Amino acid sequence: MAALIFLPGLALAQDNSASAAPYDTSYPASAIISARIQRQFLDNIRWSVSAEARNNLAAAFAERPALDIWQDLVAADGLKTGNVVDALTAYWVLNWVTANARYNFKVDNAPIRAQLQASMAADANFRALNNLQKQEMAEGYILRFLVEHAALNDAVMRKDVTALGRLALASVTRFRQEMGVDLLALQPGPEGFAPKARLANPAGD
């Protein structure tokens, strides 16, 4: 599947995203590269999940392009294809919602997008990526988003508590291992993701 080695560290300082200058994380997309990324992703699903899962995804993407499906899902949040930070923002928000079981909570994506953009701007490894690598990174996260979003929606609609718990654990584990972040300890706010405020001690405690 598409390379997802680079994972920007998320700066949690309250004023970090606001003080950083905007940094361009867009790239000129290539349809040929998109097709290769999707093919590699489906091949990975074939071996990591099952041939049936791979075939079902391939059929869905043949009926409607994956990037078009993603764009419709995130358009209301102001996110667009062709930009790494938009793809990563949607992925972070989806996993936070899944991990914290906040299915009806409306997350403001703009501060999180600015926070991630600032982290990318400060990361020399990201700044060294070429357009091909940016596309591979962004569309890799888009495809992962689609699979995880579909699984979450299905579990919510069926009110499958067991499946929801399994998906939440997967999100928490994935972010701890891949991002070095505990999604259960974060809360979205006006400055992006920040540590959850500690509850005040009861009087007399």
Side-chain angles (χ1 to χ4, degrees), residues 57-94:
L57 273 176
F61 295 159
E63 182 176 336
R64 191 160 182 237
L67 296 182
D68 289 355
I69 298 173
W70 181 87
Q71 182 63 84
D72 280 355
L73 290 172
V74 303
D77 297 313
L79 304 177
K80 299 179 180 179
T81 56
N83 200 311
V84 181
V85 75
D86 286 28
L88 201 54
T89 297
Y91 191 73
W92 270 77
V93 171
L94 173 65

Side-chain angles (χ1 to χ4, degrees), residues 11 30 42 49 51 54 67 76 84 88 105 109 118 121 124 131 137 146 150-151 158-159 162 179 202:
S30 161
L42 291 173
V49 183
R54 187 267 179 207
L67 296 182
V84 181
L88 201 54
F105 184 79
N109 284 258
N131 286 325
M137 181 181 179
L146 291 176
R158 292 188 293 106
K159 299 181 179 179
T162 300
M179 309 282 195

Side-chain angles (χ1 to χ4, degrees), residues 130-141:
N130 58 36
N131 286 325
L132 170 61
Q133 292 168 319
K134 289 179 181 178
Q135 183 173 354
E136 288 177 336
M137 181 181 179
E139 295 186 9
Y141 279 114

